[in-house]
Amino acid sequence: MRISFFIALPLLCFGCATTNKAMVKSNILNGSWVPVQQEIGGKVLPGAAFEKQKLIISDSTYTLSAESVDKGIVNYADNKMDIFGREGVNAGKHFTAIYKLENEQLIICYNLLGDSYPAAFETKGKAMYFLCTFKKE
């Protein structure tokens, strides 16, 4: 009886430790993000255009507060995003994007047509490309 207890104890501890690590690990994009720079079609937008905006990412959902509130699903892998609007003015829309984390900033380049992923973090000559640089709030 004692031998089985001493064999089971390390297995139980190992199993709990693995579960705790998995639960603690979270998506590095999770959190509240505020824009620090935006441009569309190669034109930089003034700060007043986005000073009250906020993006909240929680695993596979997002909430964007701007002139109104949009909510939806975001899927990401290999620095690409698929964004599906579920509530708000973008309900029913699908946007594609690329993203990167650099110097504690989240940079996202959106293709508002949603027909392909942007090849670079650039909007010049692309009227439907939107580039936003966020910092964590």
Side-chain angles (χ1 to χ4, degrees), residues 21-90:
K21 286 180 186 175
M23 290 173 57
V24 170
K25 183 181 178 187
S26 69
N27 183 341
I28 72 172
L29 299 183
N30 282 355
S32 296
W33 299 89
V34 291
V36 295
Q37 185 175 2
Q38 291 183 345
E39 69 177 64
I40 189 164
K43 296 179 182 176
V44 176
L45 299 176
F50 55 83
E51 66 186 0
K52 295 181 181 178
Q53 295 179 0
K54 182 188 300 187
L55 172 65
I56 300 171
I57 298 175
S58 179
D59 296 325
S60 63
T61 63
Y62 77 89
T63 300
L64 176 66
S65 299
E67 294 78 28
S68 62
V69 176
D70 286 340
K71 294 182 180 183
I73 306 296
V74 59
N75 298 318
Y76 31 83
D78 302 323
N79 292 356
K80 293 181 180 176
M81 288 182 166
D82 283 284
I83 302 154
F84 301 92
R86 297 290 187 244
E87 296 178 32
V89 297
N90 290 314

Side-chain angles (χ1 to χ4, degrees), residues 88-103:
V89 297
N90 290 314
K93 294 182 182 174
H94 170 229
F95 303 113
T96 51
I98 57 173
Y99 73 93
K100 64 181 174 180
L101 282 170
E102 189 174 87
N103 300 322

